[in-house]
Each structure stands twice: as C-alpha cells, then as structure tokens.
Amino acid sequence: ELKVEQNPLFLSMQEGKNYTIYCNYSTTSDRLYWYRQDPGKSLESLFVLLSNGAVKQEGRLMASLDTKARLSTLHITAAVHDLSATYFCAVDKGGSEKLVFGKGTKLTVNP
Amino acid sequence: SAVISQKPSRDICQRGTSLTIQCQVDSQVTMMFWYRQQPGQSLTLIATANQGSEATYESGFVIDKFPISRPNLTFSTLTVSNMSPEDSSIYLCSAIEWSSYNEQFFGPGTRLTVL
C-alpha cells in the first residue's frame, strides 16, 4: 500500500528565511505533485514532477524529485507572508492517475 | 488549464437524507475523480468516475453509499446516500485534461454538513 509522509506538518517561519518541506513515499512512483490550499479554498496545482531528478521552480518555490530515494522536496526561498497556506504532496499510485496525498504542511510566514 | 465547477458549494443536510453533487468541466477531460477531505485532514480518493460505465471505488468506499455517474466527458455527479454526521466533509472532484501531461485539477469543493 502506498503511503505518503510529509514533514513537518506545521511550519512557522519568519519572512526572508529559507526552509524545506519533505515528502517521502513508500513504493515506486515516477510522478509526484505539489499543491497549495488556502483556507476554505480548493487545491491549486504548483508542480508536476514526472521523472527522477526533475526540478521545477516558480517564484520562491522550488520542487525536486529523487525517485530512487522516494523523496521530493519543496524549498522555500526568502519566504513572504503570501506563501502562508497548506502544502500537499501527492503521489501517483502505480501510474493509475489516482493520487495518494500526504497529510499536508501548514506553513505560516510571520512578518 | 481546465476550469472545474461544482454545485452546490455547500449544504447542510439532515441525517438519513441524500445529496447529489454535480461537477462540470469546461473542456474535455480524460479522467475524473472524486475525493473527500474531512475537516482539517488530507484528501482521500473515493472513486474514479468512468464515462458510460460504473465507477471504480477505492477500499472503504462502496457504490451503495456513494453512487457516481459520468454520462459524458465533462460532467459527473456524486451522491452521498443515507447521510450521517460522519459524512460531514468537503467533497472535491478533479479532472485530467487531454493535453495536461497528467496534471490533475481540482474543483472548488462542496462543503457538506450533516446534522
């Protein structure tokens, strides 16, 4: 059974600091997704990582995938308050397009 | 990217009743799914909505409780039957566009409260 673990689950940061969110998963998969969810809102797609070594960047966020280690990271550079949200990673279950989600990381960026 | 709408956006229902949630996509999509997000929790896949045939349910979810239809490429419904307070959740549909390289987009969700 595919399990997806994120850590930390809660993250409080100061503006301007850097931090990394980790996403580990238990079985082989070549596809990993990162989503953002604001309170009371739906999920916004941030990154789709489709192969080992994939790295994608958008603004202050950068995501990477190491399929051999079954690990993805979401790195936050020079955090700003607008990045406050819950971030989910999700892993494709055996190429089926069915997603198994981590528990989410609630990020709070303090001025 | 595909734009997904859901109706209703929220509802408060009595125990024992049923509610049907509609999901409409503005473009043709290959696959559609239904997820549940319990309060403060992550998302759990309920089922894959298959066009013109029975949905494929995940472990722990059954057709009698969550009947799903998908009559065409852009529309699906999820019914939550014989509701109990434990069914209070956000229900989200998602879809994958033909040309989106497997990127899965989510609807705004339906917030259901069962009293």
Side-chain angles (χ1 to χ4, degrees):
Chain A
E1 180 189 350
L2 173 59
K3 294 187 186 300
V4 180
E5 292 188 359
Q6 277 182 248
N7 67 84
L9 298 183
F10 298 93
L11 178 55
S12 182
M13 308 176 56
Q14 294 292 322
E15 279 192 329
K17 298 292 187 183
N18 304 332
Y19 210 83
T20 301
I21 299 170
Y22 297 88
C23 176
N24 292 271
Y25 54 98
S26 61
T27 63
T28 302
S29 177
D30 289 334
R31 301 185 205 169
L32 191 136
Y33 305 78
W34 284 97
Y35 290 91
R36 167 180 173 150
Q37 187 176 41
D38 291 291
K41 304 289 186 182
S42 187
L43 277 76
E44 174 190 355
S45 177
L46 294 176
F47 300 109
V48 181
L49 302 171
L50 297 177
S51 61
N52 186 41
V55 177
K56 291 195 174 179
Q57 183 164 5
E58 181 74 33
R60 301 175 187 274
L61 301 178
M62 184 174 71
S64 66
L65 177 61
D66 181 343
T67 58
K68 293 179 182 177
R70 297 176 188 166
L71 171 69
S72 179
T73 59
L74 180 66
H75 187 72
I76 303 155
T77 302
V80 293
H81 180 69
D82 286 352
L83 290 179
S84 297
T86 298
Y87 293 84
F88 291 97
C89 67
V91 179
D92 179 285
K93 192 161 74 169
S96 66
E97 317 292 357
K98 300 177 183 180
L99 299 184
V100 178
F101 280 79
K103 291 188 176 182
T105 297
K106 184 172 183 179
L107 171 66
T108 303
V109 181
N110 303 303
Chain B
S1 60
V3 175
I4 304 174
S5 59
Q6 286 185 234
K7 286 196 283 190
S9 58
R10 59 178 62 225
D11 208 341
I12 300 173
C13 300
Q14 295 296 321
R15 181 195 298 260
T17 62
S18 298
L19 176 72
T20 295
I21 302 167
Q22 298 180 2
C23 176
Q24 179 73 55
V25 189
D26 70 345
S27 59
Q28 290 193 346
V29 295
T30 57
M31 302 184 76
M32 295 181 75
F33 304 91
W34 286 96
Y35 290 82
R36 180 173 74 181
Q37 185 176 26
Q38 293 177 303
Q41 302 296 314
S42 187
L43 282 79
T44 300
L45 179 64
I46 297 172
T48 305
N50 299 310
Q51 189 210 346
S53 65
E54 194 170 284
T56 306
Y57 291 84
E58 298 300 303
S59 176
F61 298 96
V62 295
I63 187 171
D64 290 346
K65 177 68 176 176
F66 297 102
I68 288 170
S69 77
R70 186 181 171 192
N72 58 50
L73 286 173
T74 63
F75 183 78
S76 177
T77 66
L78 167 74
T79 299
V80 186
S81 303
N82 188 25
M83 289 184 284
S84 66
E86 293 70 34
D87 295 320
S88 297
S89 290
I90 299 172
Y91 292 86
L92 301 103
C93 71
S94 71
I96 299 175
E97 280 188 299
W98 285 103
S99 60
S100 70
Y101 299 99
N102 312 111
E103 190 168 6
Q104 196 165 138
F105 299 99
F106 283 80
T110 295
R111 185 179 294 270
L112 171 62
T113 302
V114 184
L115 302 177

